[in-house]
Amino acid sequence: MDEGIDASFLRGGTLTVSRSPSQDARTIASVGDDRFWGLGDQHSRLLTKAQCDEMIKVAGTREGAFTPNCARINPAALARGLAIAVEKLGGRVFEQTDALSLRPGSVNTSGGKISAETIVIANEAWSPQIPERKRSIVPIYSLMIATEPLSKDFWNEIGWRNGETLTDARRMIIYAQRTADDRIAFGGRGAPYHFGSRIKDSYDSDFRTFRLLEKALIEMFPSASDAAITHRWGGPLGVPRDWESSVGINENRSLAWAGGYIGDGVTTTNLAGRTLADLITGNSSPLTDLPWVGHQSKKWEVEPLRWLGIRAMGGLTRSIDATEARTKRPARLRNRILDSFTGH
Ligand SMILES: Cc1cc2nc3c(=O)[nH]c(=O)nc-3n(C[C@H](O)[C@H](O)[C@H](O)COP(=O)(O)OP(=O)(O)OC[C@H]3O[C@@H](n4cnc5c(N)ncnc54)[C@H](O)[C@@H]3O)c2cc1C
């Protein structure tokens, strides 16, 4: 259904640029993975440096890959638009209302008790705050910065005409888009995990991570070095122990859940919502047959092992990128250790 939400949607695909020999290997392997899963050239293809530069001129590009299966959006506009769409359909949205505890058939909130035949737990990174789901998910932060709107000269030099989203093949994920108002919004992982899966508003800002993002942005776009950074923000992602999202419902359909999208929830939540609708109404459909339905990830380790492990993996990821950038060779052993931790 088209809800007519204006969220600056532009389906420009994703360009992955490769900026070192190790990144070349990962880019080739990721397109190889697509072929393994039966996805052909129309889903992903390798690009030469000239083809990458033709799309977006990123400093240090050696080669790359492109998939058309991605769109740029403004997530705040999408969230607001979805809330309005829910209200138009007769749903009610209660903001600033904490769910404090739940029992089959009812939820106690800071604004009163709500009764429902089916309760859906969809609090993603905040899942550890529900006692039964304490170790199902950990909150891992993703942070972003945005430049001021950039000049016509800048865009003439860089290209980026078709709304492609952008990443490279380093291990510490970074991602970027040219916004509808001609800024670069640039994000990445690497902000610290907090002991006990704690979440606080103050964790949305980590100045060390913001500085690293600025550095990465300028390395990729040296001509943006004088651009003012006008916005800095972030938030927690929900990460299950096996890196696999899931949706599900209990036998008597009183309790359902969805989540663990890591950093890919914008579209996966849509699939989860449609799947939950079928699960809740008892409608057996191709969606309810998908392998993520009813999937149970194993639990995260208890503290302090969890904190030690996640912090160590963060350090390992940074060290792989630093070593590979310096030596121009893959850090094979460390990559293998990281892959075994992330389940890849
Ligand atoms: C900086 C950043 C960049 C991202 N970039 C991308 C991207 O490029 N592509 C992509 O696909 N995804 C991206 N994501 C991830 C994406 O935003 C999430 O996967 C998606 O929002 C998940 O949707 P959700 O509704 O399940 O959970 P959320 O959007 O996390 O919403 C969960 C909600 O539950 C509320 N909540 C928690 N506990 C309670 C409680 N006790 N009572 C009431 N409410 C509660 C929270 O306040 C929150 O509003 C990004 C995330 C961040 C932070």
Side-chain angles (χ1 to χ4, degrees), residues 97-99 122-124 126 142 144 175 235 237 261 263-266 269:
T97 307
D98 287 348
N123 56 350
E124 190 60 344
W126 287 260
S142 199
M144 295 195 74
Y175 48 89
L237 313 169
Y261 310 111
D264 291 321
V266 171
T269 43

Side-chain angles (χ1 to χ4, degrees), residues 141-330:
Y141 279 78
S142 199
L143 267 51
M144 295 195 74
I145 56 175
T147 65
E148 63 186 327
L150 299 170
S151 67
K152 276 208 170 64
D153 286 350
F154 175 85
W155 294 115
N156 285 340
E157 179 197 329
I158 300 299
W160 214 337
R161 284 172 288 270
N162 300 314
E164 301 90 342
T165 55
L166 173 70
T167 184
D168 70 9
R170 76 185 73 191
R171 295 304 309 255
M172 189 64 86
I173 291 173
I174 54 111
Y175 48 89
Q177 64 157 280
R178 174 178 178 174
T179 64
D181 60 351
D182 278 344
R183 304 166 190 269
I184 297 178
F186 194 100
R189 308 269 170 85
Y193 165 77
H194 298 277
F195 192 88
S197 298
R198 270 198 313 267
I199 293 180
K200 283 187 185 171
D201 288 350
S202 60
Y203 298 161
D204 292 354
S205 294
D206 176 61
F207 284 91
R208 186 174 156 274
T209 308
F210 287 140
R211 270 197 303 277
L212 290 173
L213 290 174
E214 261 179 71
K215 184 167 171 274
L217 166 70
I218 291 166
E219 273 167 16
M220 293 172 82
F221 300 105
S223 16
S225 58
D226 290 335
I229 302 296
T230 54
H231 297 76
R232 296 174 177 83
W233 74 100
L237 313 169
V239 180
R241 181 64 180 86
D242 59 1
W243 257 254
E244 288 186 26
S245 324
S246 62
V247 297
I249 195 161
N250 67 358
E251 226 164 278
N252 66 10
R253 294 199 215 132
S254 60
L255 199 64
W257 75 91
Y261 310 111
I262 315 179
D264 291 321
V266 171
T267 49
T268 329
T269 43
N270 180 292
L271 178 64
R274 287 183 285 126
T275 308
L276 282 171
D278 284 347
L279 289 172
I280 291 167
T281 54
N283 176 30
S284 177
S285 73
L287 293 181
T288 58
D289 284 342
L290 290 174
W292 73 327
V293 175
H295 172 76
Q296 300 273 0
S297 302
K298 71 174 182 181
K299 287 183 178 170
W300 280 91
E301 287 73 6
V302 291
E303 296 289 21
L305 291 179
R306 191 158 77 230
W307 182 87
L308 284 168
I310 296 171
R311 288 282 182 124
M313 289 307 125
L316 185 66
T317 310
R318 271 188 291 275
S319 89
I320 292 172
D321 286 336
T323 303
E324 291 185 346
R326 198 180 61 248
T327 63
K328 311 283 178 225
R329 280 187 292 126

Side-chain angles (χ1 to χ4, degrees), residues 64-81:
F66 178 74
T67 172
N69 302 330
C70 190
R72 172 202 79 183
I73 57 146
N74 173 337
L78 177 65
R80 279 187 220 109

